[in-house]
Amino acid sequence: MSCRELTLYGSWDAKFLGPALKDQSVASVLANFLSRLSRLSTLKAIGSVKGIPPDVANMLLSIPSLSHLVLEVKRGCSHLILPRGAQLPAMTFTSFEYRVPRYSASPPSFNGESSILELILRQRSSCLVHLTIPGGIISSSTLASLPWPRLRELRIENHCDLGQGAPIDIDAILSETPFLRSLLALLPQGPKSRRLCLWPAQRDAPFPCQELENLTVSYPDPQDSAYSQLPATL
């Protein structure tokens, strides 16, 4: 089959497979179907209320022809909590988006999301060219500890209040992504929120992203030293 883009959504419960497939798992049924799509390059998977089951997620992550993967998962999904020592399969995609639905409310904990997201990024950071993630799920220090030699586009965006999410110290991330060409940081502004500062004045080093061509920031900080050091490419 010549399908290049595919969107999967709905329930991931095996009871909805029908009587002919009652003895099979959702992951095995999907694996059989997707094995026929040898030219599939873009996949968007939308989770149900409980999210995407780990066996299905592992199968989707390992599709060999995939270059662009989008996972859209409701916050606080129980399916996302991985067992200690969990391993992910080999992955090939170079563009990754982890999205939260606009209507998704903030849960009391982000452990499930942060665990699977961190595993994916630790395995793929050195190969990713494009990354879209919600702010507040994974810590800035974790992102800054990973290698990003090929990253050209970074989008950090939220459409809802993340409550107890981790604060975004975006300068720590930018210091490790000097070859960015596009940066978008759209975060909600609450009563106790601080304005987003890309490069604090106390930073000794100059603003690192000197190949930027596109920059979008919500609630910018007027004291941000980045704006006096922007490259001519903007």
Side-chain angles (χ1 to χ4, degrees), residues 15-175:
K15 69 181 181 181
F16 294 108
L17 289 176
L21 302 171
K22 65 178 181 179
D23 296 326
Q24 300 185 51
S25 67
V26 172
S28 63
V29 171
L30 273 176
N32 181 53
F33 168 68
L34 293 173
S35 66
R36 307 173 196 173
L37 307 181
S38 59
R39 302 179 71 180
L40 183 67
S41 61
T42 298
L43 175 66
K44 181 177 181 179
I46 302 174
S48 63
V49 173
K50 291 185 178 180
I52 301 173
D55 59 339
V56 174
N58 277 354
M59 185 273 300
L60 298 178
L61 290 170
S62 64
I63 297 173
S65 60
L66 212 59
S67 61
H68 182 196
L69 176 63
V70 182
L71 298 180
E72 184 172 304
V73 186
K74 183 179 172 66
R75 303 214 62 104
C77 294
S78 58
H79 275 327
L80 283 174
I81 300 176
L82 300 178
R84 186 179 299 275
Q87 298 293 319
L88 293 179
M91 297 173 273
T92 61
F93 54 85
T94 57
S95 178
F96 178 55
E97 300 182 40
Y98 188 99
R99 295 186 173 275
V100 174
R102 289 176 180 265
Y103 58 80
S104 186
S106 174
S109 171
F110 304 105
N111 291 337
E113 290 97 329
S114 62
S115 65
I116 191 170
L117 185 55
E118 183 173 339
L119 282 173
I120 292 172
L121 294 183
R122 286 195 180 280
Q123 193 162 323
R124 292 304 296 165
S125 69
S126 62
C127 301
L128 289 178
V129 176
H130 166 91
L131 175 64
T132 296
I133 54 173
I137 286 182
I138 188 168
S139 71
S140 304
S141 59
T142 296
L143 292 172
S145 71
L146 302 177
W148 305 96
R150 300 183 61 194
L151 195 66
R152 298 296 182 268
E153 182 176 4
L154 175 62
R155 299 173 65 95
I156 303 176
E157 54 186 40
N158 290 328
H159 301 291
C160 58
D161 180 14
L162 289 177
Q164 301 176 27
I168 296 295
D169 295 315
I170 200 166
D171 57 304
I173 303 169
L174 295 182
S175 66

